[in-house]
Amino acid sequence: MNHHHDHGNCGDENHDNLYIHIDRSNVVALNTNGEGQDVIKPWHERLDESISIESDADDQIIVRIPFTGSVRLRSLLLKTGPTDQTPSKVLLVCNTIEIQRNTMPNLEPFLQYANGASLDFDDVASRKPTQEFAVAQGRDVGEYALKTTQFSNISSLTLFFPESQGAETTQLYYIGFLGHWTERKNNPVITVYETQANIADHPKIQGMDGMFSKPGM
């Protein structure tokens, strides 16, 4: 099973929880009414619905999450929604250091970009996802199993939520990760071609039909 709900066993006391290794002050969210770091919470606050971020111009959200070292990821943790404000999907792309625009005409629906420098809504359309999930509705935290071999030696991750499940906006409460952290010996050189998203008029990105892991019950 690639997805299951929170059973209270992924807490901060578990060294696999990477909360303390996320560079919260540099988390960036695009097209939201709040700060990206608002949804990077310690495990004991994961169910708190008093703090969230919601999409602004439409129902798309991008969140870029840098880590303080090199990480190997095994699970993505999400609390969203809970109903039609739940994002429809989540996709992943690895080992993206240089960002070149408009190199691919299509995009699959929810993207996580590993080592992405500073992706905006045009950039996500140019990258091919490594992994994707349909996101389940609910008030619990969902755990989505990642392909660890594809998410090793990661320094940052960009998440793209392309649409809600019917609402005009998408809402996120909690983003977390399970995996292994190691100190980064050398800072990577990252080339950034564009750092600002034009939120007001970015085009709606259509998903592609393809294989994805659906949440289990």
Side-chain angles (χ1 to χ4, degrees):
M1 182 180 297
N2 291 308
H3 162 266
H4 66 266
H5 288 289
D6 170 21
H7 297 290
N9 59 352
C10 299
D12 293 337
E13 69 277 4
N14 185 329
H15 296 303
D16 284 349
N17 193 302
L18 296 175
Y19 168 75
I20 64 172
H21 301 301
I22 295 174
D23 185 1
R24 293 184 67 250
S25 63
N26 287 310
V27 173
V28 175
L30 302 182
N31 192 37
T32 63
N33 61 0
E35 301 293 330
Q37 62 181 313
D38 292 346
V39 295
I40 308 299
K41 305 174 182 178
W43 179 250
H44 68 274
E45 296 179 8
R46 67 195 182 280
L47 300 179
D48 180 10
E49 295 187 356
S50 66
I51 299 176
S52 66
I53 59 175
E54 187 175 347
S55 62
D56 189 8
D58 55 23
D59 54 351
Q60 297 187 332
I61 293 177
I62 286 177
V63 182
R64 178 177 181 266
I65 302 172
F67 298 96
T68 61
S70 178
V71 298
R72 182 176 69 249
L73 302 177
R74 66 177 178 83
S75 292
L76 165 69
L77 307 173
L78 287 176
K79 175 174 167 56
T80 66
T83 55
D84 57 357
Q85 283 187 302
T86 303
S88 61
K89 297 180 182 180
V90 44
L91 292 77
L92 304 81
V93 169
C94 289
N95 300 325
T96 302
I97 300 299
E98 290 192 349
I99 308 304
Q100 295 183 350
R101 302 168 57 79
N102 302 322
T103 59
M104 291 181 59
N106 298 310
L107 173 73
E108 295 154 83
F110 168 94
L111 304 178
Q112 293 176 340
Y113 286 97
N115 293 334
S118 186
L119 297 170
D120 66 15
F121 289 97
D122 289 333
D123 296 320
V124 294
S126 70
R127 315 309 303 180
K128 181 179 180 181
T130 301
Q131 192 170 355
E132 61 179 281
F133 301 96
V135 179
Q137 293 189 11
R139 304 196 88 95
D140 292 330
V141 172
E143 179 178 352
Y144 299 83
L146 305 180
K147 299 175 182 178
T148 302
T149 56
Q150 301 296 320
F151 289 88
S152 297
N153 195 29
I154 299 302
S155 62
S156 67
L157 200 67
T158 298
L159 311 182
F160 172 55
F161 304 82
E163 61 184 2
S164 69
Q165 295 189 23
E168 293 183 357
T169 60
T170 294
Q171 190 162 31
L172 308 178
Y173 293 102
Y174 172 79
I175 298 174
F177 300 95
L178 301 180
H180 177 72
W181 176 90
T182 56
E183 183 178 1
R184 188 167 51 234
K185 302 301 182 183
N186 297 305
N187 292 326
V189 176
I190 300 177
T191 301
V192 182
Y193 291 98
E194 180 171 343
T195 59
Q196 299 296 322
N198 189 350
I199 294 172
D201 58 7
H202 73 268
K204 190 72 172 182
I205 300 174
Q206 300 298 324
M208 296 169 56
D209 292 332
M211 298 299 294
F212 60 87
S213 301
K214 295 184 178 179
M217 297 300 293

